[in-house]
Every structure is written in structure tokens, then in C-alpha cells.
Amino acid sequence: MHVGYARVSTLDQSLEAQLEALKNAGCEKVFYGKQSGKSEENIKKLHDLIEFVREGDIVLITKFDRLGRSLGQVIDTVDRIHKKGATVKTLDGQIDTSNNSPMGKAMMQLMGMFAELEHSIIVDRLQTGRYRTGRLGGRKRKLSPEQELEVIEKLAVGQSVYSIAKEYKVSRMTIMRVRDRVQSI
């Protein structure tokens, strides 16, 4: 049986291309996840896939790095699939673990290292770009540092969270977060 596995790294990426490719390759069942390889959902879907496969099955993936975020994860996943008597094959033909020769094993590890290297380069470029532009991620603060100091002063003299929130046109939760940050110091 051909069993597929698809994964995209972020919520705004689309699984459609991978799912269509796996269907066209003859997959009778496809497992998929749609967050980073670290997410609990992907770990569960990968576990479900490994539990599902049986001896003689072929696990199809579009690219080798879909099985994990690091070489260790990918190799561990492939080993677990092999222990069930199944093999792994990429649709681009670069990896086919049914070839159990030393050269086939070396090629799989080499491809995994290149996938990990590619991922590291992408992450490095992203981080460099974020630092260069000053956009480190996260939501923009509702209050400036000066406004937060004013809020702290108003809270200190006993003004209510509700009245401060109304004055600055923010939620009470925003004011409570400022208060909580000060209390934790």
C-alpha cells in the first residue's frame, strides 16, 4: 500500500500541492500536518503514520525534509518505519530506502544533511533579515514605554484598571499585563 505524508511549516503555507502530488502518486491514505515540525500536531500525525504502516507498505513524501526538522529526526523516523517493514520514497526520486545497500544508506544520510543545512540557511537568512529591519516578530505594543510608565504611576496612586484602560483606549487586559510585568520585577 502507498501511504503518504505531507507537512507544511507555517499556517500560511498550503498543503494542497503536496496532497495532490501524493494522490497522483497513488497514495491510498495520506497523513498530514500544518505547523512547524516541532508542533504537537505534527508529532502526533507522524506517530499515527508510523502506527498505521505495515510490512511491505511504501511511505511517500514529496521531499525528504517533510519527515522532520533535523537529520536526527528524519533518520529516527525512517528507522521506525523500517522496523515496521515499510520503506520510504520521495516523489522526486532522490530517496528510496528499499535500496538497503551501504551506498543507499549513505545517500539517505547525505540527503538528510543537505536538507538540514538548507533549513539552517533559510532560518539564518530570516533572522538576519529580521534584525536588519528591526522586525523581530510579535505583535506591536499597544502602549509606548512612556505610556506604560504613566500607567504604572496611575496604578500606584490607586486609579482603577478600568478607568486607565478607558483613558488610553485599550483593553483592561493590556493594563493588567503592564501591572503584572511591574509586579514580577
Side-chain angles (χ1 to χ4, degrees), residues 107-170:
M107 192 63 179
M108 183 186 78
Q109 290 185 348
L110 189 60
M111 290 303 296
M113 286 189 329
F114 283 125
E116 186 173 354
L117 175 64
E118 179 184 23
H119 175 74
S120 296
I121 289 169
I122 290 169
V123 167
D124 183 56
R125 285 183 184 155
L126 263 169
Q127 292 297 56
T128 301
R130 286 179 175 160
Y131 282 111
R132 187 176 46 76
T133 62
R135 295 183 181 154
L136 301 178
R139 177 186 269 180
K140 184 181 173 195
R141 289 189 176 248
K142 300 284 183 184
L143 299 172
S144 69
E146 294 81 19
Q147 289 173 317
E148 286 189 5
L149 284 173
E150 292 170 11
V151 165
I152 293 165
E153 290 169 4
K154 290 177 184 206
L155 287 168
V157 296
Q159 195 171 340
S160 74
V161 169
Y162 176 77
S163 67
I164 299 170
K166 193 171 180 180
E167 179 182 340
Y168 286 94
K169 296 182 174 80
V170 296

Side-chain angles (χ1 to χ4, degrees), residues 77-110:
T77 301
V78 170
D79 284 343
R80 290 170 59 203
I81 291 169
H82 280 180
K83 285 178 182 166
K84 299 278 302 234
T87 59
V88 177
K89 188 174 183 178
T90 58
L91 295 183
D92 61 11
Q94 292 187 6
I95 300 294
D96 181 354
T97 64
S98 63
N99 176 1
N100 212 13
S101 70
M103 188 62 163
K105 288 179 181 179
M107 192 63 179
M108 183 186 78
Q109 290 185 348
L110 189 60

Side-chain angles (χ1 to χ4, degrees), residues 9-75:
S9 300
T10 62
L11 288 172
D12 54 338
Q13 289 180 328
S14 174
L15 275 169
E16 295 306 314
Q18 287 183 53
L19 295 175
E20 186 175 328
L22 292 169
K23 181 182 173 195
N24 291 340
C27 289
E28 299 169 48
K29 180 143 180 83
V30 177
F31 296 84
Y32 58 91
K34 193 171 175 154
Q35 272 99 26
S36 107
K38 296 178 183 176
S39 84
E40 292 297 320
E41 178 189 347
N42 281 333
I43 292 167
K44 182 184 179 330
K45 296 291 183 180
L46 207 48
H47 177 76
D48 292 347
L49 165 79
I50 293 166
E51 288 296 312
F52 180 82
V53 294
R54 298 171 305 265
E55 189 167 340
D57 285 350
I58 300 172
V59 175
L60 293 175
I61 48 179
T62 55
K63 292 186 344 185
F64 197 50
D65 65 351
R66 300 296 86 196
L67 289 178
R69 294 180 58 87
S70 68
L71 177 60
Q73 264 186 338
V74 171
I75 290 173

